[in-house]
Amino acid sequence: MEESNQQEPTPLGDLGEFGLIQHLTEKIDIKHKSSVLGIGDDAAIISAGKGQKVVSTDMLVEGVHFDLLYTPLKHLGYKAVVVNLSDIYAMNAIPEQITVSLALSNRYSVEALEELYEGIQLACEIYNVDLVGGDTTSSQAGLVISITAIGEQEESKIVRRSGARENDLICLSGDLGAAFAGLQILEREKSIFESNQKIQPDLSGKDYILERQLKPEARKDVIQYFDQENIIPTSMIDISDGLSSELIHLSKASGIGVQVYEDKIPIDPSTVTTCEELNLSPITAALNGGEDYELLFTVSLDHHDKIKKLDGIQIIGHVTDAAAGCQLVTRDEKMVELKAQGWSGV
Ligand code: ADP
Ligand code: MG
């Protein structure tokens, strides 16, 4: 074991609140012109810009949204940023700033927070966003992380949930169900570990699904592609709660129905294998699992050829009229009405 692993963790009290903030944020640099003033004053200053500002907040609570038994703090910091950026991309906007607010109990050490901030800063570099402020307070129980992301886009390019029209194509980036499958494996290994601490976790062959759960990415590349190809989706949403639930959101917001095809829904082979191993249906994992952070969007039929030639984007169905509801056409050509959660397969 390395020397540093044997050192006693530094209690938070050694630095105090101001010292801690200073310590965690001293290496942060500002990349965007729009970030006029970052950390250090009473408030950050962001220039108004030419377009519109898009703002989104997400809160992650220990024991509800994450379990530190199997979540490395660096991954947690990275994921906390990514899930927020995903919401900004889902508006077809470009994120430029984030703020990070933490509630901490004194069982966390300075070293643990350094790890969390390593993940936060890595995501800021990869996604080109500035950390411009936040808040730090104490908590009686676990860790709470709330992140606000601020993005920008020209008014005419912002995409809402409400613009889908009949006959539009329904499209999806990436594949679904893997983060859910990854979580089931982590939970299984946790309960085995709790019953016998001598058993080592068996995670072989699970790299992809574990990464999808522990270190997801937001689809910045898809937004860049839209820009290059002059595509403005008619509606868009990111998949945080499962495909079914997001399709229902689009249908309600746009006043339309949807028809999607089971055999068009992309699921990675390792997700299928894991679901079979756990006696779960892969299509249920895709429809109801969630935490995929893929983009679900509709485009007008004119964009069919541009969308078709793009790797990693799948056309999964089309928009119908509201009276038709939200329908899944199964592999054996039955129509099943999609529910926000709990459709349990055929
Ligand atoms: P105030 O008392 O005015 O709320 P703080 O002492 O909480 O000020 O914060 C001082 C500066 O540090 C501010 O610029 C604030 O945005 C920033 N800050 C506080 N906590 C964090 C954090 N967890 N991450 C990043 N910046 C933070
Ligand atoms: Mg404060």
Side-chain angles (χ1 to χ4, degrees):
M1 218 191 259
E2 283 182 27
E3 185 85 359
S4 61
N5 289 346
Q6 292 172 344
Q7 280 171 6
E8 284 289 305
T10 316
L12 289 181
D14 283 13
L15 290 181
E17 185 191 327
F18 299 128
L20 178 70
I21 298 168
Q22 164 113 43
H23 177 70
L24 293 174
T25 60
E26 65 193 354
K27 288 193 218 101
I28 286 168
D29 57 335
I30 293 291
K31 308 175 201 55
H32 290 279
K33 266 202 314 223
S34 58
S35 306
V36 179
L37 183 65
I39 292 166
D41 213 309
D42 296 309
I45 305 176
I46 295 169
S47 70
K50 289 195 199 106
Q52 293 190 330
K53 292 289 179 189
V54 176
V55 181
S56 178
T57 300
D58 261 303
M59 192 184 283
L60 297 179
V61 178
E62 183 175 351
V64 179
H65 302 101
F66 59 89
D67 186 332
L68 288 174
L69 191 85
Y70 52 69
T71 312
L73 280 160
K74 185 172 174 183
H75 287 44
L76 179 64
Y78 190 87
K79 179 171 176 174
V81 176
V82 162
V83 303
N84 274 276
L85 302 184
S86 179
D87 282 321
I88 302 292
Y89 293 126
M91 304 297 289
N92 200 32
I94 312 295
E96 293 186 339
Q97 289 87 19
I98 60 165
T99 63
V100 174
S101 298
L102 301 174
L104 304 161
S105 70
N106 54 15
R107 76 184 154 87
Y108 288 91
S109 63
V110 172
E111 288 75 12
L113 290 173
E114 283 170 356
E115 269 182 57
L116 182 77
Y117 266 74
E118 260 178 55
I120 291 174
Q121 273 178 263
L122 181 62
C124 286
E125 263 153 52
I126 289 179
Y127 290 93
N128 193 32
V129 296
D130 293 330
L131 172 53
V132 295
D135 198 24
T136 310
T137 181
S138 56
S139 140
Q140 297 283 0
L143 172 64
V144 179
I145 310 172
S146 173
I147 297 189
T148 296
I150 302 160
E152 201 183 270
Q153 185 55 286
E154 287 167 38
E155 185 177 355
S156 63
K157 292 187 180 165
I158 291 180
V159 177
R160 304 175 188 211
R161 296 179 180 180
S162 55
R165 294 295 170 257
E166 208 173 330
N167 299 324
D168 283 354
L169 299 170
I170 302 175
C171 312
L172 179 71
S173 66
D175 61 81
L176 301 183
F180 177 78
L183 181 62
Q184 303 316 305
I185 290 295
L186 290 166
E187 288 287 338
R188 179 185 75 180
E189 296 306 317
K190 178 185 167 182
S191 54
I192 295 172
F193 176 79
E194 281 173 344
S195 61
N196 183 346
Q197 310 214 341
K198 290 203 186 92
I199 301 178
Q200 287 297 307
D202 176 14
L203 302 172
S204 54
K206 306 285 187 229
D207 300 11
Y208 178 68
I209 60 169
L210 292 175
E211 188 160 324
R212 292 283 282 172
Q213 169 58 225
L214 294 172
K215 191 174 173 287
E217 301 292 350
R219 298 308 302 262
K220 178 185 185 181
D221 56 330
V222 175
I223 300 310
Q224 286 169 336
Y225 178 77
F226 291 154
D227 189 44
Q228 280 159 27
E229 296 290 325
N230 289 317
I231 296 172
I232 301 177
T234 50
S235 71
M236 184 153 57
I237 189 168
D238 71 325
I239 302 203
S240 49
D241 297 330
L243 178 64
S244 282
S245 154
E246 316 306 358
L247 283 167
I248 292 167
H249 283 310
L250 288 186
S251 92
K252 287 199 174 130
S254 295
I256 45 103
V258 299
Q259 183 158 319
V260 296
Y261 295 83
E262 181 181 2
D263 64 352
K264 301 276 191 234
I265 295 172
I267 305 177
D268 188 79
S270 63
T271 306
V272 176
T273 323
T274 304
C275 285
E276 283 167 356
E277 201 182 308
L278 298 171
N279 254 325
L280 299 166
S281 137
I283 187 70
T284 307
L287 290 173
N288 300 330
E291 291 200 281
D292 302 294
Y293 302 106
E294 294 297 341
L295 292 171
L296 173 69
F297 57 95
T298 55
V299 292
S300 79
L301 266 175
D302 316 340
H303 289 312
H304 178 271
D305 294 351
K306 282 188 197 167
I307 293 287
K308 200 76 193 170
K309 72 167 199 231
L310 185 67
D311 269 355
I313 301 284
Q314 177 83 16
I315 300 172
I316 61 167
H318 58 271
V319 176
T320 56
D321 75 336
C326 294
Q327 306 292 338
L328 176 77
V329 181
T330 63
R331 284 177 196 277
D332 49 5
E333 295 184 358
K334 287 198 195 93
M335 295 269 249
V336 180
E337 170 135 17
L338 292 169
K339 300 265 158 51
Q341 45 197 240
W343 182 69
S344 58
V346 189

